[in-house]
Amino acid sequence: MPSTRDLATPLGRARMLFSMLSAPKLRAGIGRILAGEGAPEAPEVRGPLSQLDWLGSDGEVDVAGLREIAEALALMRSDAAILEVDRLDSIPVKTEESRQVSARIARIVFARVGAERTLSEAELNVAIAMFAQDVALVRRDAVDAGALTRSADGAAYRLAAS
């Protein structure tokens, strides 16, 4: 089976850029570099900007690096993203975050199989396994978060009414 594409690196680069653009000093520093005026002297600006590995201090841009970032962002917005992203190896430790992630997974599952369907535990487990390794945790968290309802005997699951 072909391995999935590394999306973490280009997405991390995009997050870094957008974080920097939210800070006025860093945004001005990026503008200065892109204008060919060189890197700012202030270490608190120069240091973070040096982490933009696609942008040289002389204003030279690694076009291939930017293209990779743009392609990763486009892929993540497409229907094909699910084919490129690995399953979650772990769910956040904090209960509220874990429940949010699990509820989102449950909603995606039912959006794909039909919101009106009732799934057996085995069917739900198979569907959740496409997204996460710990299917039992996701299933329980989704119920606890109110995203799923479970029959009294625990054999059937439905998407909760919104």
Side-chain angles (χ1 to χ4, degrees):
M1 180 169 149
S3 65
T4 56
R5 183 174 158 182
D6 171 29
L7 294 174
T9 301
L11 292 175
R13 293 163 110 188
R15 275 196 302 271
M16 182 186 310
L17 173 62
F18 280 96
S19 293
M20 288 182 183
L21 289 173
S22 70
K25 286 183 181 180
L26 296 177
R27 186 171 55 246
I30 292 169
R32 179 185 161 116
I33 293 172
L34 288 172
E37 299 171 8
E41 296 298 321
E44 67 273 10
V45 176
R46 185 184 196 108
L49 295 184
S50 69
Q51 294 183 32
L52 296 174
D53 58 356
W54 53 268
L55 179 61
S57 60
D58 59 355
E60 191 68 30
V61 173
D62 174 7
V63 176
L66 287 182
R67 190 171 295 119
E68 179 186 16
I69 293 168
E71 288 171 0
L73 292 173
L75 176 61
M76 292 305 295
R77 292 182 44 97
S78 76
D79 291 341
I82 190 67
L83 301 173
E84 297 293 336
V85 179
D86 287 332
R87 290 187 313 163
L88 298 173
D89 289 333
S90 64
I91 301 293
V93 175
K94 292 183 180 178
T95 302
E96 186 56 36
E97 291 175 9
S98 175
R99 287 181 179 167
Q100 287 175 2
V101 169
S102 296
R104 179 72 180 124
I105 290 170
R107 288 185 192 102
I108 291 169
V109 164
F110 277 90
R112 292 181 179 176
V113 301
E116 71 290 343
R117 289 210 33 211
T118 298
L119 297 180
S120 69
E121 183 175 317
E123 291 170 323
L124 181 59
N125 286 348
V126 168
I128 290 172
M130 295 294 295
F131 299 95
Q133 201 167 27
D134 193 341
V135 295
L137 174 65
V138 171
R139 195 181 60 244
R140 284 191 305 265
D141 275 355
V143 170
D144 291 344
L148 294 180
T149 59
R150 176 175 44 214
S151 64
D153 63 359
Y157 293 81
R158 290 188 57 85
L159 186 63
S162 299

